[in-house]
Amino acid sequence: MVERKILTERNKRRETNNGLSCWFGWGWQAEDRETDSRLSNWGMEIGKQGLRKLILRKGTNYYHYSCQSPSQGDEVQLQVHFRGWVKGGATLEYESSTHHQNIRNITNWTTSSTTTPLCFKLGQCEVIKGLDEGVATMQKGERAVFSIPPNLAYGELGSPPFIPPSSTLFFDIELLSWTTIRDLTGDGGLFKKITRDGHGWATPRDADQVLVNYEARLENGTLVTKSEGAEFHIGDACICPAISIAVKTMRRGEVAELAVKFLYGFKEDVNGTTNTESCISSASNMAIQLELISWKSVIDITGDRKVVKKIIKAGEGFDCPNEGSLVKVIYIGKLDDGSVMERKGSEEEPFVFVSLQEQINEGLERAIITMKKGEQALVTVDAEYLGSYGASGLVSASSALHYEVQLIDFTKEKPYWKMDTHEKMEACERKKHNGNLLFKAGKYWRASKKYEKAANYVDFDHSFTKDEKRAADSLRLSCNLNNAACKLKLGEYHEASRLCTKVLEIDPFNVKALYRRSQAYKQVSEFEKAEADIKTALTIAPNNRDVKLEHKELKDKQREYTRYQSEIFSTMFARIYG
């Protein structure tokens, strides 16, 4: 039970703070009751219901980028000398005589002292609403005074005899710590409580390879399974679903307790032994102690799992090679059976190439231009992205090459901001020409990169003369239109429509831009937008054969989509009413 008492001791040292006469230590006492009338106007307002806060000491994370504060459901621990007072009335101190404390239903006062911190669960109505809202704004180690209006405290009734009706309350609080508890699944099936904070800010993502320690026990304490140094890919069916879900919310070195319902737990086979590959669910809830030791980032480069990079050693900085960079690498390519297919470079003499000049296969190059200096990675490239290897049959269509790659260094081309206008125009023309050759050869990804780089040279034309600006506009439009054509071939329809929109912002009657944007909209089933564009194009160029064909194809696609929707609704209604 939570009890309260009238403070009989007064601190001896005082200081004036923002017009308040206050006491050092934990007892706040107005010099006279007139001071209470000024308390409602100090500090910052929290929300729109009259709650105010005055910070006496900033938290330990105040100047840190994270600035973490507790959230709903967190178990909060307040400083032992947690005190309050009624405006114009008694000075209050809350203390506990039981393990669980509830400040909403105070019934007694006491004069005894306590050294037990006040603990409650935030956002669960275990304290008055003003404290719930106020503490949620604090950081670890912060000390603050809150002015809580009656509507966020005990309201019109008060809490006799010491809290009169419609009383404003003041609380002097230090936030000692809190334990974060999260419902990770939203259905109460998996709760996570952090018992040791991790390092940094990053967390693993889907498909990353993680290294963990875990111990799982049933509610009665029976050990289910235990593993030290377990390594797996997030999302693998062979691991406990709860661990796969929880580990994506953890930072390196973090330790957490998981409360797991059977749907998210380990599995049991028909003999009752733990078997993570079985599809028979356990009949009991579990508690899992989980520690995230480390992880290796796994990145799907192409979005179709055909070029995948797993980072073994992180690189330096944030920069990566781009189109035209001079790149130094060491790599070894192996077949599925481990036999070496390709080897380039060494520590003494790295392999040097210019990016996007078709000097290495497309899949490996796509991965390398995502790497940072000093990075080491394992790259798996499907036969579709192996170029000559795949076409020659050296690697079967169902196989892949596995590369061990180290990016030693790279040097980018001269940046456009260091070029004069003549150099920019020349570079843009050159890149555009190279892109045209690649497009004709069906190498759309490399062509797209060329057009993108070419457009960058003339995007910022504030230093151009009028004639140069006209030429730059023409080049920019041409590069963006050609790049949009590449994106359509690559299936990147949203990018294609974005590039066409950039063209139309400069030239609203550009038929090619309207035509290609209509194609992009059609592919993502945005038929109204597609029809608006193609009709505008027909108005401008009524005899354009490609535009007329696209209009016909769009109409066919709309009819097909309408039939498909009708079939779905018919089936749905038949199941409901049949």
Side-chain angles (χ1 to χ4, degrees):
M1 179 186 298
V2 176
E3 301 176 329
R4 47 188 182 178
K5 68 181 181 179
I6 302 175
L7 290 177
T8 56
E9 297 181 0
R10 303 297 187 207
N11 293 305
K12 296 180 180 179
R13 300 179 62 188
R14 305 173 184 177
E15 71 174 359
T16 300
N17 189 340
N18 284 9
L20 295 179
S21 182
C22 58
W23 301 83
F24 283 109
W26 288 98
W28 274 69
Q29 175 64 37
E31 188 70 27
D32 54 58
R33 292 304 173 190
E34 293 180 1
T35 305
D36 285 345
S37 64
R38 299 196 298 271
L39 292 176
S40 299
N41 298 317
W42 49 254
M44 67 183 77
E45 185 174 7
I46 300 170
K48 302 295 183 182
Q49 294 184 282
L51 178 64
R52 301 192 73 86
K53 170 185 175 183
L54 175 66
I55 298 175
L56 305 182
R57 184 179 67 236
K58 294 179 174 67
T60 54
N61 287 328
Y62 188 81
Y63 296 106
H64 193 260
Y65 69 88
S66 64
C67 293
Q68 294 176 343
S69 298
S71 303
Q72 281 201 8
D74 290 355
E75 288 184 352
V76 176
Q77 188 178 64
L78 303 183
Q79 173 57 263
V80 55
H81 297 292
F82 164 74
R83 292 179 179 170
W85 66 95
V86 180
K87 182 176 180 180
T91 302
L92 315 174
E93 178 177 323
Y94 295 101
E95 65 173 272
S96 174
S97 58
T98 61
H99 178 69
H100 182 73
Q101 303 170 57
N102 190 319
I103 309 173
R104 293 194 67 83
N105 301 304
I106 304 170
T107 57
N108 294 307
W109 292 85
T110 181
T111 56
S112 61
S113 177
T114 179
T115 57
T116 304
L118 174 66
C119 297
F120 63 93
K121 193 172 289 186
L122 203 65
Q124 303 300 311
C125 298
E126 294 185 4
V127 295
I128 57 176
K129 189 176 180 182
L131 283 178
D132 253 342
E133 293 183 3
V135 170
T137 69
M138 300 181 73
Q139 297 165 23
K140 185 177 180 180
E142 181 181 320
R143 182 183 168 195
V145 178
F146 293 92
S147 168
I148 303 178
N151 56 303
L152 297 178
Y154 293 94
E156 296 179 357
L157 298 179
S159 183
F162 295 100
I163 301 179
S166 301
S167 292
T168 295
L169 304 182
F170 301 94
F171 290 99
D172 181 354
I173 297 173
E174 179 184 14
L175 178 58
L176 266 181
S177 64
W178 72 88
T179 302
T180 300
I181 299 176
R182 295 285 183 269
D183 181 355
L184 299 184
T185 55
D187 59 3
L190 174 58
F191 285 93
K192 172 193 164 193
K193 176 179 178 180
I194 298 174
T195 56
R196 187 181 76 197
D197 286 332
H199 311 295
W201 56 269
T203 56
R205 297 175 294 183
D206 282 326
D208 284 357
Q209 185 174 331
V210 296
L211 181 66
V212 300
N213 295 331
Y214 65 83
E215 179 180 296
R217 294 181 179 273
L218 299 179
E219 291 174 305
N220 61 10
T222 303
L223 180 67
V224 176
T225 183
K226 180 178 180 180
S227 179
E228 293 186 2
E231 197 167 30
F232 66 93
H233 289 274
I234 296 176
D236 278 359
C238 63
I239 198 68
C240 169
I243 292 179
S244 288
I245 294 168
V247 79
K248 289 191 291 183
T249 70
M250 299 176 70
R251 297 178 294 161
R252 194 181 308 272
E254 183 178 316
V255 179
E257 294 178 5
L258 309 180
V260 185
K261 287 190 176 179
F262 69 93
L263 287 173
Y264 298 99
F266 288 92
K267 313 298 180 182
E268 286 184 347
D269 61 21
V270 292
N271 298 316
T273 59
T274 300
N275 180 356
T276 58
E277 294 181 356
S278 172
C279 61
I280 302 175
S281 297
S282 168
S284 178
N285 299 334
M286 287 188 300
I288 300 176
Q289 291 280 343
L290 179 64
E291 178 184 8
L292 175 59
I293 300 170
S294 63
W295 74 89
K296 296 171 183 173
S297 294
V298 178
I299 301 168
D300 183 358
I301 301 294
T302 53
D304 55 9
R305 304 294 298 172
K306 292 185 176 180
V307 180
V308 177
K309 181 183 78 168
K310 179 166 73 175
I311 298 174
I312 304 302
K313 179 186 174 184
E316 306 169 9
F318 299 96
D319 211 6
C320 301
N322 61 359
E323 192 279 330
S325 295
L326 188 68
V327 183
K328 297 180 181 180
V329 295
I330 303 169
Y331 68 79
I332 301 173
K334 299 179 181 180
L335 296 171
D336 291 333
D337 60 8
S339 56
V340 176
M341 186 73 179
E342 184 181 14
R343 186 191 300 268
K344 291 286 181 72
S346 64
E347 292 285 352
E348 296 77 25
E349 190 175 349
F351 173 60
V352 181
F353 71 96
V354 178
S355 59
L356 275 73
Q357 295 294 326
E358 300 185 86
Q359 294 173 288
I360 60 175
N361 69 69
E362 181 182 326
L364 179 58
E365 190 161 38
R366 284 196 182 206
I368 287 176
I369 64 172
T370 69
M371 297 177 69
K372 301 175 180 65
K373 180 180 177 181
E375 183 178 320
Q376 296 178 23
L378 298 178
V379 179
T380 301
V381 182
D382 187 87
E384 181 181 332
Y385 290 92
L386 285 173
S388 59
Y389 286 141
S392 64
L394 293 173
V395 178
S396 68
S398 60
S399 189
L401 272 182
H402 307 276
Y403 288 94
E404 300 169 12
V405 187
Q406 181 179 358
L407 177 58
I408 303 299
D409 201 359
F410 62 90
T411 305
K412 290 188 172 184
E413 284 186 314
K414 184 178 180 179
Y416 66 85
W417 61 82
K418 290 186 178 180
M419 295 180 175
D420 59 33
T421 56
H422 181 69
E423 287 178 303
K424 289 178 183 178
M425 299 291 284
E426 277 193 344
C428 180
E429 291 275 14
R430 185 172 62 253
K431 296 293 182 184
K432 179 191 167 188
H433 174 71
N434 292 338
N436 292 343
L437 295 176
L438 289 165
F439 187 89
K440 289 176 182 176
K443 298 171 181 177
Y444 304 117
W445 177 74
R446 284 192 168 103
S448 174
K449 292 295 183 183
K450 296 289 184 184
Y451 293 133
E452 186 178 306
K453 186 73 172 285
N456 284 341
Y457 286 119
V458 292
D459 260 347
F460 301 96
D461 55 5
H462 56 274
S463 61
F464 289 8
T465 64
K466 286 185 178 180
D467 290 340
E468 288 172 337
K469 191 168 184 177
R470 278 194 294 270
D473 285 345
S474 176
L475 279 171
R476 190 185 307 113
L477 262 61
S478 179
C479 289
N480 285 333
L481 280 172
N482 292 352
N483 198 6
C486 292
K487 298 300 184 183
L488 287 170
K489 294 287 188 181
L490 294 167
E492 299 177 22
Y493 302 116
H494 290 293
E495 270 298 295
S497 63
R498 184 187 67 83
L499 288 163
C500 291
T501 300
K502 287 183 71 173
V503 172
L504 291 166
E505 287 171 354
I506 299 172
D507 181 5
F509 303 106
N510 190 293
V511 173
K512 280 187 178 180
L514 290 164
Y515 169 73
R516 288 174 185 166
R517 191 168 71 172
S518 178
Q519 287 182 309
Y521 285 148
K522 179 184 71 177
Q523 292 299 328
V524 295
S525 300
E526 293 190 31
F527 297 121
E528 289 184 7
K529 291 181 178 180
E531 187 172 11
D533 278 350
I534 206 66
K535 282 183 175 179
T536 304
L538 274 172
T539 302
I540 299 167
N543 298 319
N544 188 303
R545 181 175 175 274
D546 290 337
V547 172
K548 288 193 287 187
L549 283 174
E550 178 61 25
H551 186 240
K552 182 179 180 300
E553 286 181 17
L554 177 61
K555 289 294 184 184
D556 292 341
K557 186 89 171 178
Q558 285 176 307
R559 282 192 290 269
E560 182 184 334
Y561 186 72
T562 302
R563 275 198 308 271
Y564 172 71
Q565 284 188 314
S566 298
E567 289 172 5
I568 288 178
F569 283 116
S570 297
T571 303
M572 183 175 67
F573 284 122
R575 288 177 179 174
I576 294 172
Y577 301 108

